[in-house]
Amino acid sequence: MKKVSKSVRRQLIALANRPDNEIDFSDVPATTRKEWANAVRGNFYRPVKRQLTVRIDADVLAWLKSQGKGYQSRLNAILRSAMMLRKARHRQSN
C-alpha cells in the first residue's frame, strides 16, 4: 500500500474536520428508501490483514478444511462473528 504524502494527509484531515453543513450535495441525485432496500453495509470494506502463527486443534482445522477452499477466510469469519457478538453483549451490559 502506498503511503499518503503529508500534504494529502493534511487535506484529508481538513476535510474530515469540516462540518456536514458545508458539504455541497448539489451534484448528487436524491435517493429513496426503495433504492437502499437491498444495500449491504461494509461490502467493500477490506480490513488490514496480519500474518501470524497460531496453533489450532487438529480436529477443528480438519473440519474447516473439509468444507473446501477458503478455510482461513472461514476461520476469520467465525472469529469476527464471535468478536461482534461479544462487543454487542458488552454494549448491552453498559
Side-chain angles (χ1 to χ4, degrees):
M1 184 160 92
K2 290 185 179 181
K3 289 193 175 190
V4 177
S5 70
K6 287 182 182 181
S7 64
V8 170
R9 188 171 303 163
R10 278 193 296 268
Q11 289 176 331
L12 290 172
I13 290 169
L15 285 171
N17 289 329
R18 289 179 73 175
D20 289 349
N21 64 357
E22 290 184 12
I23 299 172
D24 177 12
F25 292 105
S26 62
D27 62 339
V28 181
T31 57
T32 64
R33 287 188 182 273
K34 185 178 177 183
E35 291 172 309
W36 286 99
N38 295 318
V40 178
R41 176 175 275 184
N43 198 35
F44 298 104
Y45 171 68
R46 297 290 180 257
V48 174
K49 304 285 186 184
R50 292 196 50 201
Q51 184 174 347
L52 71 146
T53 301
V54 61
R55 299 173 76 81
I56 306 287
D57 293 343
D59 59 331
V60 173
L61 183 59
W63 175 76
L64 285 166
K65 287 185 171 184
S66 73
Q67 298 173 52
K69 292 177 69 172
Y71 76 94
Q72 290 176 329
S73 296
R74 276 192 298 283
L75 176 59
N76 193 70
I78 291 166
L79 291 171
R80 178 168 297 283
S81 176
M83 177 186 75
M84 299 304 286
L85 182 61
R86 180 165 285 196
K87 281 183 175 184
R89 286 180 180 161
H90 179 72
R91 278 192 298 270
Q92 289 175 352
S93 67
N94 287 336

